[in-house]
Structure formats: C-alpha cells, structure tokens
Amino acid sequence: MIRRSLIPLLALAVAFPVAAAPRPTPPVRVKIETTEGPIVIALEMKRAPITSNNFLAYVDRKLFDNTSFYRAARGTPNTKEGFVEGGINNSMGHSLKPIAHEPTSRTGIHHLDGTVSMARDEPGTAMGDFFIVVGDGTYLDASKKDPGYAAFGHVVSGMPLVRRMLARPTFKGGWSKLTVGQSMLHPIRILTARRLP
C-alpha cells in the first residue's frame, strides 16, 4: 500500500522524469575502399580535432577517390614493421590548405600498430597524404628534439591488407635518401573513402 505522503512525489516524478545520462559520442569511422579490399579507420576527433577534421575534409570532398597507397617504408632490420603511405601523393590539384601540427605530446596518441598519422615535410605542412603504422612506430612520436608526426586515428579493420601492402615490391630508387626503396612498383588504388553511418 502506497502512503499518501508519497503520492505527490510520484506525481512529480511522472511529470518531470529524470534525464537519462548522455550517451558517449560514437567515433567517426571512415571506410577506405581499395582494389585489394577495405580498410576502416576510427578518427580521434576529440584528441586530434585539427588533423581529424582535415582528413574528413578530404573524405567529404571525395579528394581521396582514385588516389592510391604508393609507399611501403619497411624497417631495418625488421622488414615486417614500418608504414604504408597513401593519399593525394602531393598533388596540388587535389590539396587543401596545410594544417597546424598536432604533436603526440599534446594529443597523447602514440604511433603503435595500426595508428593512422599525417605525412608532412616541415611541421605545419600536412595536407592530404597519410600513413598507417605497422608494428612499433613510437620513433615517430614527438620528443624534446623532434616534433614528430600528427597521429589522429587507428585501423579498426583491414590490418592484414595493410601488412600485405608493406610487403609489396618497391623500386630501388627514391625521391630522397630517406625514401630509397620505398615506392611501390604497383601502387594500390584507393577507389573511394567515405564516412560510415
């Protein structure tokens, strides 16, 4: 039996229900469809907003469509580690404005297996080229002597494909001493890059 003193309280509870706890914001995911299969990445929108939003700008404007993964930078001596690079391949016709650098010392996102990060020359020059780390890539993190690279996401599916890309045959030459032996003989074409619902 409900006491009469509780009836007004119950009426108030019905009239003004307690607000439900806010749901966590789901991560923004992007599916990169290649000729060899899909790669899905999740973006760190809160921790690396500048870099993540830049990547999404290329996705939303379809600037990654019909580009490629073109670089396989294998480690020494462990050639099963390194990174693969893709995107607009420095094409000015497909590039947006360079973005400010978001170092790992600020974002806390480290270059681990499956991390997605921006390619660049000097800090503040990143545009539409990105890379995916295979294995331990923490040497790419910021340090007291080096600003490092701007990590902004991670692969949630498709790492077997990324590992196969890293093992692709490459040219003996390169654009510089640092890129010798890293250009794929047969780049992997990126068909589309789209946000997932």
Side-chain angles (χ1 to χ4, degrees), residues 1-176:
M1 183 175 180
I2 300 174
R3 293 184 181 179
R4 290 187 180 184
S5 59
L6 292 179
I7 292 175
L9 293 176
L10 291 173
L12 282 173
V14 172
F16 301 100
V18 177
R23 293 182 180 179
T25 304
V28 176
R29 297 184 305 152
V30 171
K31 181 179 181 182
I32 302 171
E33 193 67 62
T34 79
T35 50
E36 301 292 318
I39 300 168
V40 177
I41 65 174
L43 307 186
E44 293 275 5
M45 301 299 296
K46 288 187 177 180
R47 293 203 284 173
I50 295 172
T51 315
S52 295
N53 279 303
N54 172 71
F55 187 83
L56 285 177
Y58 281 86
V59 169
D60 293 342
R61 298 182 192 193
K62 302 181 180 180
L63 293 173
F64 287 138
D65 293 11
N66 298 310
T67 58
S68 65
F69 283 99
Y70 50 82
R71 184 180 177 192
R74 291 181 281 272
T76 305
N78 187 356
T79 58
K80 292 186 178 181
E81 292 191 347
F83 61 85
V84 296
E85 186 174 332
I88 65 171
N89 201 358
N90 297 304
S91 170
M92 290 298 105
H94 288 82
S95 64
L96 303 175
K97 291 181 180 180
I99 57 171
H101 183 56
E102 284 184 310
T104 56
S105 54
R106 184 192 309 163
T107 64
I109 308 167
H110 298 290
H111 289 87
L112 306 174
D113 189 54
T115 297
V116 187
S117 191
M118 289 305 296
R120 61 162 178 80
D121 291 323
E122 298 301 317
T125 62
M127 291 187 287
D129 290 285
F130 61 95
F131 62 90
I132 302 172
V133 176
V134 178
D136 181 5
T138 50
Y139 63 93
L140 299 165
D141 288 353
S143 66
K144 291 181 179 179
K145 296 182 179 180
D146 190 328
Y149 292 82
F152 65 95
H154 62 277
V155 174
V156 294
S157 68
M159 276 306 289
L161 170 56
V162 175
R163 296 183 202 288
R164 290 197 301 273
M165 285 197 284
L166 185 65
R168 301 273 294 192
T170 54
F171 288 106
K172 292 182 179 179
W175 315 305
S176 66

